[in-house]
Amino acid sequence: MRISTFFYTIKQGIINIFRNKWFSLASIATIGACLFLFGLFYAIVMNFQSIVKNAEEGMSVTVFFDNGISQERIQEIGAMIEKRTEVSKIVYKSADEAWAEFKEEYLGEYSDGFTENPLENSASYEIYLSDVSMQPALVSYLEETEGIRLVNRSEVMASTLTGVNALVAYISVGIIAILFAVSIFLISNTVTIGISVRKEEINIMKYIGATDFFVRAPFVIEGMMIGLVGALIPIGILYVLYEKVIEYIMLRFSILTKLLSFLPVEVIFNTLLPASVIMGVGMGFLGSVTTVRKHLKV
């Protein structure tokens, strides 16, 4: 493509936007609203998943061993557990450590009356999961392992976190699909109006020998530019609002800082910015290309 043709295409695409300025502004506003909702939803979901992940990292399965088991066998069991794909790490707690922890937490100065360790068979492994949804498989394996007498786990919490993760994933896909479809529809209508307004001019251009690309490209550029502008505006607004909202929550509800950990703005927007731009330009491209092929048959 020649440079002159390229610049003509860009110029004509911009002219089309201003020629149909009200429809273009309506499309930009609606696409911006859609992508604003998408960005807002994305920020909420990412923070929610971060909170769930932190909760998952704190979940563990605890195993206790048969009475009289040798230390060598305990180490063998630990080595086998560490090789499991469900496991992120394991922490060994000896019987003496368990008793010292129990005394400090529950007995205090009253522990002096004990001359022996009443928890001598309470050595354990605390097993942290790489994925909480894999807990049932790990528990089944542990219960069948020779030398393990008891497996403690929280089935309700594991199933709850797994269900929440699945629900969030389904809702995310559904909302993104709806917003994508609405935005393409709006861009398609804007480009259709532009084609209708310039129908006679397009017929003349084709009559004197203009190529299909020369005629169609400005409309595609128009759609892509609408999508780009419609993406950048809401992302800029969200960037400012996100920092302000998180700062307000942390100051107004300081107790939440001990319970929740919000992601920094850079982590959110490192992905959200390019994703929104690609979505905006992509929606503009798909909407305009589809419309041009459907309505521009001259």
Side-chain angles (χ1 to χ4, degrees):
M1 181 175 64
R2 292 183 301 176
I3 295 179
S4 58
T5 303
F6 172 78
F7 283 111
Y8 168 82
T9 300
I10 300 295
K11 176 185 175 182
Q12 200 62 42
I14 296 173
I15 291 174
N16 286 349
I17 291 176
F18 285 99
R19 179 177 289 168
N20 307 313
K21 58 183 178 181
W22 297 117
F23 293 104
S24 297
L25 286 173
S27 295
I28 289 172
T30 310
I31 292 168
C34 289
L35 289 177
F36 179 86
L37 291 175
F38 164 75
L40 182 64
F41 183 74
Y42 176 84
I44 292 172
V45 168
M46 288 298 293
N47 278 286
F48 184 78
Q49 287 186 337
S50 175
I51 293 169
V52 171
K53 183 175 176 59
N54 289 337
E56 287 182 348
E57 290 175 351
M59 282 194 61
S60 63
V61 175
T62 306
V63 297
F64 297 92
F65 310 103
D66 293 337
N67 295 341
I69 189 172
S70 66
Q71 191 63 34
E72 290 75 14
R73 177 56 184 163
I74 291 177
Q75 291 175 351
E76 288 177 6
I77 293 174
M80 291 189 297
I81 293 173
E82 280 187 311
K83 294 178 181 178
R84 300 283 299 182
T85 57
E86 306 97 329
V87 177
S88 62
K89 69 174 182 177
I90 65 172
V91 177
Y92 176 69
K93 184 185 293 185
S94 68
D96 291 338
E97 289 171 334
W99 174 232
E101 187 177 296
F102 184 86
K103 286 192 298 182
E104 181 180 352
E105 187 171 352
Y106 297 105
L107 300 179
E109 60 184 21
Y110 301 104
S111 63
D112 296 338
F114 293 88
T115 57
E116 295 183 357
N117 182 358
L119 303 179
E120 60 179 344
N121 292 314
S122 60
S124 64
Y125 277 123
E126 197 163 358
I127 307 167
Y128 294 90
L129 303 172
S130 57
D131 185 347
V132 71
S133 65
M134 304 171 99
Q135 178 178 283
L138 177 63
V139 169
S140 297
Y141 169 78
L142 295 173
E143 289 177 336
E144 296 173 359
T145 301
E146 184 180 350
I148 293 178
R149 64 179 170 86
L150 179 64
V151 180
N152 282 346
R153 73 277 193 184
S154 176
E155 293 182 352
V156 174
M157 181 61 73
S159 61
T160 299
L161 291 175
T162 301
V164 167
N165 273 334
L167 179 63
V168 169
Y170 289 137
I171 292 175
S172 301
V173 172
I175 289 180
I176 291 172
I178 291 171
L179 294 178
F180 196 84
V182 170
S183 299
I184 288 179
F185 173 77
L186 292 168
I187 291 175
S188 177
N189 283 342
T190 302
V191 174
T192 300
I193 292 167
I195 291 174
S196 299
V197 171
R198 297 185 61 213
K199 194 73 174 178
E200 185 175 345
E201 177 185 344
I202 291 169
N203 284 329
I204 294 173
M205 291 172 64
K206 290 293 291 182
Y207 182 77
I208 61 176
T211 63
D212 289 342
F213 174 83
F214 192 81
V215 174
R216 293 175 176 175
F219 294 104
V220 176
I221 295 297
E222 176 189 1
M224 293 174 67
M225 292 182 70
I226 288 173
L228 177 62
V229 175
L232 292 177
I233 292 175
I235 290 303
I237 295 172
L238 275 172
Y239 187 91
V240 175
L241 285 180
Y242 184 84
E243 287 189 312
K244 298 295 184 183
V245 169
I246 297 302
E247 182 180 347
Y248 174 79
I249 291 175
M250 292 294 98
L251 291 176
R252 185 70 176 80
F253 307 99
S254 57
I255 191 173
L256 291 178
T257 58
K258 299 178 182 179
L259 303 175
L260 304 178
S261 177
F262 293 101
L263 294 172
V265 65
E266 294 79 11
V267 173
I268 296 292
F269 284 86
N270 279 347
T271 301
L272 181 58
L273 176 59
S276 295
V277 169
I278 291 171
M279 284 180 63
V281 174
M283 288 186 292
F285 177 79
L286 289 175
S288 56
V289 166
T290 302
T291 304
V292 164
R293 288 185 175 179
K294 181 178 181 182
H295 296 284
L296 195 53
K297 296 177 180 179
V298 293

